[in-house]
């Protein structure tokens, strides 16, 4: 069951919000990449991979901040870099929720790749829901995301798949394009989330993938 909006419309809306914010969006993506990736990679190379993995886990709230940055871009048409670090204000709440989400996804992936992918889409609204509902704790946010995404996983998957051209261009640009592709995807996901909220408010019941 699809939302009352096409993926093409969602992408057009995302591009509209990014129109005057592409550079800031790319810089925010670079900041997130450097903080999340570089220290742990350096530690892996120089010392112990387990320490690097632990550091990556401890920095997970930055992932939350990255999601919220683009939700606010969609709602307010502006980017503020300090939004990246908002997950550290409720550090353990955000950290444990994301850890539970990634553990669940990993366990489903052990069965087969496809169940893991399906669950990752089921959990994809978790960060947005935490931002709008601070009282949602741990698996409650994950469960709400599952309920919200029920019947809509395929549409979100097709939305991501439709950006394959951007993905190829990002590879051809030696990876530089990813700093522009990631904001595009995240803003489109924020648009998708807002449509889900509208559907939820209308009391629509979903019964399909």
């Amino acid at each position: 069951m699809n939302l009352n909006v096409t993926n093409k419309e969602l992408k057009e809306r995302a591009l509209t919000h990014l129109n005057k914010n592409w550079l800031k969006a790319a810089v925010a993506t670079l900041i997130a990449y450097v903080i999340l990736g570089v220290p742990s990679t350096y530690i892996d190379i120089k010392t112990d991979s387990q320490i690097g993995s632990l550091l990556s886990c401890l920095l997970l709230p930055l992932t939350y901040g990255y999601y919220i940055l683009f939700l606010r871009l969609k709602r307010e048409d502006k980017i503020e870099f300090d939004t990246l670090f908002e997950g550290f204000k409720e550090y353990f709440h955000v950290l444990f929720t994301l850890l539970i989400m990634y553990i669940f996804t990993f366990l489903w992936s052990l069965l087969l790749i496809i169940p893991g992918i399906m669950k990752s889409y089921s959990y994809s609204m978790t960060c947005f829901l935490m931002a709008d509902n601070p009282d949602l704790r741990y698996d409650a946010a994950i469960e709400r995301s599952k309920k919200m995404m029920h019947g809509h996983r395929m549409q979100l998957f097709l939305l991501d798949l439709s950006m394959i051209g951007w993905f190829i261009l990002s590879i051809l640009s030696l990876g530089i394009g990813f700093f522009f592709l990631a904001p595009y995807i995240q803003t489109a996901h924020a648009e998708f989330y807002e449509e889900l909220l509208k559907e939820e408010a209308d009391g629509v019941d979903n019964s399909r993938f």
Side-chain angles (χ1 to χ4, degrees):
M1 180 175 182
N2 287 341
L3 297 171
N4 292 322
V5 62
T6 66
N7 284 343
K8 181 180 179 181
E9 291 173 309
L10 293 173
K11 291 194 293 181
E12 288 174 349
R13 292 180 193 174
L15 288 173
T16 298
H17 291 298
L18 285 164
N19 186 37
K20 297 180 180 179
N21 294 283
W22 275 114
L23 182 58
K24 281 188 174 182
V27 171
T29 302
L30 176 61
I31 292 171
Y33 171 80
V34 169
I35 295 176
L36 286 170
V38 174
S40 59
T41 301
Y42 178 81
I43 290 174
D44 284 350
I45 294 173
K46 293 294 184 179
T47 55
D48 190 336
S49 61
Q50 292 182 343
I51 297 176
S53 297
L54 176 61
L55 178 60
S56 295
C57 288
L58 294 177
L59 291 173
L60 275 178
L62 189 70
T63 302
Y64 167 87
Y66 188 73
Y67 272 76
I68 304 315
L69 184 144
F70 292 102
L71 179 61
R72 291 191 180 163
L73 170 63
K74 180 263 176 293
R75 291 175 173 175
E76 303 171 15
D77 273 322
K78 62 181 181 180
I79 287 178
E80 296 179 346
F81 294 120
D82 58 352
T83 303
L84 284 170
F85 305 98
E86 289 209 2
F88 293 94
K89 294 178 181 178
E90 292 284 340
Y91 182 74
F92 291 106
H93 170 205
V94 174
L95 176 65
F96 290 140
T97 300
L98 293 183
L99 280 176
I100 292 170
M101 183 177 72
Y102 289 134
I103 289 171
F104 283 173
T105 303
F106 172 73
L107 291 176
W108 277 101
S109 297
L110 291 178
L111 298 177
L112 281 173
I113 295 297
I114 292 179
I117 293 174
M118 289 172 61
K119 287 301 176 181
S120 71
Y121 278 96
S122 292
Y123 306 151
S124 60
M125 300 296 123
T126 299
C127 288
F128 296 140
L129 285 165
M130 282 195 292
D132 281 342
N133 305 272
D135 292 335
L136 283 180
R137 296 286 170 170
Y138 314 123
D139 63 333
I142 298 170
E143 289 299 318
R144 174 115 180 245
S145 178
K146 285 171 59 179
K147 181 178 179 181
M148 179 178 275
M149 283 298 295
H150 189 64
H152 297 302
R153 291 177 298 186
M154 180 58 74
Q155 185 177 358
L156 186 58
F157 172 75
L158 292 175
L159 173 63
D160 290 341
L161 189 63
S162 70
M163 297 186 183
I164 188 69
W166 281 70
F167 182 81
I168 293 172
L169 288 174
S170 296
I171 295 174
L172 295 176
S173 67
L174 302 179
I176 296 174
F178 285 110
F179 295 110
F180 296 90
L181 174 58
Y184 187 16
I185 293 172
Q186 291 300 333
T187 308
H189 281 205
E191 289 285 352
F192 196 92
Y193 169 68
E194 292 283 23
E195 290 299 319
L196 288 172
L197 287 179
K198 292 177 185 178
E199 182 180 84
E200 191 176 59
D202 291 338
V204 176
D205 184 30
N206 303 307
S207 59
R208 295 176 60 190
F209 174 81

